[in-house]
Amino acid sequence: MRYAVLVTGPAGAGKSTFCASIMTHLHASRRTGHLVNLDPAAAPDSFEYSPSIDIKDLISVQDVMNELGYGPNGGLVYCFEYLLQNMDWLEEEIGEYEDDYLIIDCPGQIELYTHHPFLPTLVKNLQRLGMRTSAVYLLESQFMEDKYKFFSGVLSAMSAMVNLEVPWINVMSKMDLVLPNPEDPAAGGRNGLRTRRNIARE
Ligand SMILES: Nc1nc2c(ncn2[C@@H]2O[C@H](COP(=O)(O)OP(=O)(O)OP(=O)(O)O)[C@@H](O)[C@H]2O)c(=O)[nH]1
């Protein structure tokens, strides 16, 4: 059985960091995991584990910008449409792996999750190849310090979940950056967590 985990979320939410942690966990538990990079604009030094499959071997934003004169956003959309037209490339690359976990580092453009056909088409192709596919959506936990940001983040996560229709886990990233709530007398513990009362008998 083959498994795919789409690691999704807005730009800078911590997707690549999360992918590296999952890869370390898979290696530690003696399972075979492969990193797949689907971000055509990713810098080569942004990966702790080098990707086994990399969209940049097919097409990169830099090539599109240089050769077709597109800007960075138009270049990205062009790359995804190019991949959609060349799904056989991805199938060939994936074909080599059996009984493995593919950890798919997705790009951070939020419109890809809400109204572009790229990810839903990718999911259908993975399922057609017999891969059990699920998704993780990362949201920066600092968003919960501001109700408007939090509401907007939660709605974008729900919109992406409804769009992709696969088993889904929302993950709040960067918990170490959450500030304690100054109005909460019990706050003051690390990461905004409530301090634990010492209930041990003297
Ligand atoms: N403090 C803190 N920083 C983190 C954590 N996770 C990621 N970061 C930092 O956040 C920044 C962005 O992390 P990435 O993993 O590159 O995020 P990404 O979602 O892959 O970014 P894009 O690919 O550009 O969309 C980096 O500087 C990371 O070091 C975390 O748990 N805590």
Side-chain angles (χ1 to χ4, degrees), residues 3-144:
Y3 303 89
V5 181
L6 292 160
V7 180
T8 66
K15 298 179 291 297
S16 304
T17 309
F18 181 88
C19 287
S21 302
I22 287 270
M23 290 291 289
T24 305
H25 173 71
L26 287 174
H27 288 169
S29 51
R30 297 174 186 221
R31 290 180 228 178
T32 319
H34 300 279
L35 184 64
V36 179
N37 172 41
L38 283 190
D39 184 353
D45 59 358
S46 59
F47 302 108
E48 202 175 311
Y49 291 85
S50 63
S52 306
I53 302 174
D54 193 343
I55 187 177
K56 285 163 78 189
D57 294 338
L58 177 73
I59 190 165
S60 79
V61 173
Q62 204 53 50
D63 295 342
V64 176
M65 286 168 66
N66 294 344
E67 286 174 29
L68 301 177
Y70 281 40
N73 290 323
L76 273 171
V77 173
Y78 183 92
C79 289
F80 301 132
E81 281 168 1
Y82 189 81
L83 177 61
L84 282 187
Q85 287 157 12
N86 292 279
M87 272 295 170
D88 47 340
W89 170 82
L90 192 62
E91 281 180 29
E92 256 175 49
E93 298 278 313
I94 288 176
E96 297 168 15
Y97 301 109
E98 289 292 340
D99 293 326
D100 292 352
Y101 291 81
L102 295 187
I103 309 301
I104 306 179
D105 194 349
C106 293
Q109 277 64 36
I110 195 73
E111 61 271 27
L112 280 184
Y113 306 120
T114 53
H115 56 264
H116 196 279
F118 171 61
L119 281 176
T121 312
L122 175 71
V123 165
K124 285 199 182 81
N125 277 283
L126 292 173
Q127 288 171 334
R128 195 171 45 77
L129 293 174
M131 304 203 78
R132 295 209 166 176
T133 309
S134 63
V136 170
Y137 190 93
L138 285 133
L139 194 60
E140 287 184 54
S141 43
Q142 290 142 294
F143 274 34
M144 67 185 166

